[in-house]
Amino acid sequence: MAGTETSAGDGKSVRDRIPQIIRNEGADPVTYVAGAEEYRARLREKLREEVAELLDADEGSAPGELADVAEVLLALAADLGLSPEQLEAIRVAKAGERGSFAGRIVWMGNR
């Protein structure tokens, strides 16, 4: 983290405490607050990044990576005006309607 520099136009969404953590390490982070449209786009890009890290993770690091994915999902939900409880209610309704993934079913097509 410290020592990483980006050129103009680069950057990525980071957790809210990251700038202070960087300062505590003796560096001076360059940050700004994204507007609504940029924020949504950057969150979607962050989700891609976190999912890729989860897919590459071993069993030991997978729980932390999964938590990172969940954090971005909750931020995306909030950006859409959904509370965690509302998101969970939608998930439960879809699971009731279509099922979940607990059965480990693999669809091979139709006959």
Side-chain angles (χ1 to χ4, degrees):
M1 202 172 355
T4 301
E5 296 181 12
T6 60
S7 60
D10 288 348
K12 66 179 186 173
S13 290
V14 295
R15 292 173 179 258
D16 299 339
R17 294 191 59 231
I18 296 302
Q20 186 57 49
I21 291 169
I22 292 170
R23 283 186 206 94
N24 292 347
E25 293 175 351
D28 185 20
V30 177
T31 65
Y32 67 93
V33 176
E37 193 172 315
E38 178 185 0
Y39 176 64
R40 184 170 291 144
R42 286 189 180 271
L43 278 177
R44 288 172 183 236
E45 182 56 36
K46 189 67 171 182
L47 181 59
R48 284 184 193 94
E49 174 189 327
E50 296 299 347
V51 167
E53 289 176 9
L54 173 62
L55 294 175
D56 288 340
D58 59 25
E59 274 191 46
S61 61
E65 297 301 340
L66 189 57
D68 289 344
V69 169
E71 189 68 33
V72 177
L73 287 176
L74 291 174
L76 282 163
D79 187 58
L80 293 171
L82 297 170
S83 70
E85 296 79 18
Q86 290 170 312
L87 181 62
E88 177 63 6
I90 293 167
R91 187 200 66 77
V92 167
K94 286 190 84 167
E97 188 178 303
R98 300 181 62 93
S100 67
F101 293 95
R104 301 181 184 182
I105 295 169
V106 177
W107 180 51
M108 299 295 293
N110 298 334
R111 293 183 203 267

